[in-house]
Structure formats: structure tokens, C-alpha cells
Amino acid sequence: MKAFLKFSLIFMLGSCASSMNDNLNSTLWMQTAAEYQASTMQTYNTALANVSRALNDKSWTAALEQTGEVSELPPAIILDVDETVLDNSAYEAKMIKEHGTFTPQSWDNWVHLQKAGAVPGAVDFINKVQEMGVTAILLTNRACEKRQNSNAPCPQEDDTIENLKKAGIKNVSAETVLLKNEKDDWTSEKKSRRTFLAQKYRIIMLFGDDLGDFLADVKKNITPQQRAALVEQYAQNWGTKWFVLPNPTYGSWYNVLQAPREQYLQDY
Ligand SMILES: [Mg+2]
């Protein structure tokens, strides 16, 4: 009986700890694993090695939204911001320590601090491709919202630009940073912004930590199996035109899972 009680207690504590600190392992991985650092550097190094090929082939485009004649358009790359260029693991770490969860207010406070670090490899890569004549567009789902004690139309844009500069990106401005809600149809579905950019630029590469940074309609009302089939369908794009950064802490991969999440575990 005593043993049974002890076992039950350990089991309860174990399950309680795992639900409270769901992000502990994934945040530790991003903050301490050399393997994370190596994988993001590998991604950006691979991309850099492909830039000349993409520039020389005037029919090369990475955006599915881009159609028609593209050879005369100036080249650009599109990068997501969070967990692609900027590292917000400190925000995750704070939530874990304080047993909190994501709230729009605490996130906006974090954005306003402008203290996000850089994802390893991102800053060097962006500065180098800009020297090669490529425009780097930052396309983020950070949202333009009113903020207390600020008259700026989009204080989040100002903070994001400052944070990107602090991280070491030399050439960044409101022209090249596109936030959610900056225009009416600029929703969290990034397709409309990619379509907008495809009118002005030949988009040679896409970078992101979420499937939605590459494809439309993949963030809700879709199963993990359907998402996997899309990755397979565009197999040729990964590592040539599309570059994905690892993010185990949050994202549409997680949001599409239905409760109970254990149903997705595949054992032998
Ligand atoms: Mg992101």
C-alpha cells in the first residue's frame, strides 16, 4: 500500500510538472544546445551558397504567389522575424519560471524591450546578401496595435526595427519590415503580403520557422498528415528556395493538434 501511494504521488507530480512546464525541454534546447546553434547556422550557410545560382537564373522564384514574367524584377528574400531572425526564447524562459502563459500584453511588453537576440547565422547572412544587391524583407506576424502612452501608428514596427538593428542588421527600415494589420488585408495568413511583394520583387528565397511562412492555408483546419503531404509535394524547394528554422516551442505545428495530444504519439 505504501509503495502504491508513493508511486501514485510520483506519477501525479510527474504529470503535473509536465503540463506546467510543457516548454521546458524545448526552451532549454534553444538556449543551451550547440546542436540548435549548429542547425540554424547550417541553414543560413546553405542558403548563402545558393544565392548566386538564384540570382543568375532570372526565372528563379521561391514564392508560389509569384506568376508571370519575373526576370526584370529586382531580387529579394523574405524572412519571417520571430524564431527565424530574432530569438525570443528569453520570453519563453520567463513564462516557464513564472508559471505563466502567453498573453498579448506580456508579449507586447517583451517586444517593447527590444531585447530579443539573433538566431545564430541570420545576421551575417542578411548583411551578406544585402551586399550582393538583394533586398531583405522581414515579414512578421508581430501586429500593429495601439499602445498606451504612445501616439505612434505602429509602435511594434519601430520596436522591431530597433531590435533588428541592435541584433546587427545594417540595413533595415519601415520599407522592408511588414507587420500584421499594417494594411487591412495583411492578416496572420501571410499569402496576401507575399502576393503584394511578388508584384515588386523577384522573390528568390523564403525563410521561416512555420509552414505558413512558405505555404498558404496550412495553419488551421488541417491535419499533421496533410501538412506532411505538402512538405513532400514541395520536396525540391527545401534547402534550395525554402529554408526552415527549428522551433519546438510554439507554432502552427502545435496549434493544429487536437486534444488529447497523446493521440498523436506513435509507439511500436
Ligand atoms: Mg516565426
Side-chain angles (χ1 to χ4, degrees):
M1 187 63 186
K2 213 172 167 183
F4 173 74
L5 280 174
K6 193 174 167 190
F7 174 80
S8 306
L9 189 64
I10 289 168
F11 179 77
M12 279 163 57
L13 285 173
S15 58
C16 186
S18 71
S19 61
M20 275 164 54
N21 286 335
D22 233 4
N23 254 337
L24 177 59
N25 278 357
S26 47
T27 302
L28 284 174
W29 187 68
M30 293 179 82
Q31 293 199 325
T32 70
E35 292 83 353
Y36 170 65
Q37 178 190 5
S39 69
T40 64
M41 291 176 76
Q42 169 181 267
T43 300
Y44 281 111
N45 284 341
T46 307
L48 189 63
N50 265 283
V51 170
S52 294
R53 186 154 73 104
L55 286 177
N56 292 336
D57 177 353
K58 301 287 186 199
S59 67
W60 178 292
T61 175
L64 300 181
E65 292 81 6
Q66 186 135 46
T67 51
E69 179 58 43
V70 296
S71 63
E72 298 300 317
L73 296 173
I77 56 170
I78 299 179
L79 306 106
D80 167 54
V81 173
D82 295 313
E83 277 49 72
T84 299
V85 177
L86 292 180
D87 163 11
N88 301 285
S89 59
Y91 174 75
E92 301 286 335
K94 190 151 182 88
M95 283 197 293
I96 295 167
K97 283 188 171 182
E98 296 180 351
H99 306 295
T101 53
F102 175 92
T103 64
Q105 186 59 57
S106 68
W107 172 252
D108 195 51
N109 293 345
W110 164 249
V111 167
H112 191 35
L113 285 175
Q114 308 170 3
K115 283 175 79 171
V119 169
V123 171
D124 251 16
F125 170 75
I126 292 170
N127 288 337
K128 280 180 182 157
V129 293
Q130 286 183 329
E131 282 170 20
M132 296 168 82
V134 178
T135 302
I137 311 277
L138 286 305
L139 198 170
T140 175
N141 278 342
R142 290 184 172 199
C144 285
E145 276 157 5
K146 285 260 174 282
R147 186 187 280 158
Q148 273 195 333
N149 308 320
S150 171
N151 294 322
C154 184
Q156 294 79 13
E157 181 167 46
D158 304 335
D159 287 330
T160 302
I161 291 169
E162 283 311 305
N163 199 154
L164 289 164
K165 284 182 183 169
K166 287 177 187 174
I169 296 172
K170 290 177 188 159
N171 199 346
V172 56
S173 70
E175 288 278 284
T176 52
V177 178
L178 279 59
L179 276 76
K180 179 173 127 179
N181 299 344
E182 243 189 289
K183 293 189 180 179
D184 283 346
D185 67 333
W186 290 8
T187 61
S188 60
E189 168 58 68
K190 291 183 170 180
K191 181 183 181 175
S192 59
R193 280 176 282 173
R194 283 195 297 267
T195 305
F196 168 79
L197 291 166
Q199 312 298 314
K200 296 172 69 174
Y201 300 100
R202 179 163 68 89
I203 300 160
I204 60 169
M205 291 176 177
L206 302 176
F207 296 80
D209 65 302
D210 194 290
L211 198 58
D213 295 321
F214 308 92
L215 289 158
D217 306 320
V218 293
K219 298 205 290 185
K220 54 187 175 189
N221 304 322
I222 189 168
T223 65
Q225 291 80 4
Q226 289 167 322
R227 287 160 54 88
L230 284 166
V231 169
E232 187 65 38
Q233 182 182 337
Y234 294 100
Q236 300 303 316
N237 284 3
W238 303 108
T240 55
K241 297 176 175 177
W242 295 357
F243 297 87
V244 67
L245 288 302
N247 180 3
T249 61
Y250 66 90
S252 59
W253 71 268
Y254 183 84
N255 298 337
V256 301
L257 302 181
Q258 310 282 324
R261 279 179 278 134
E262 285 77 2
Q263 72 181 294
Y264 298 97
L265 289 172
Q266 296 168 47
D267 58 10
Y268 58 86

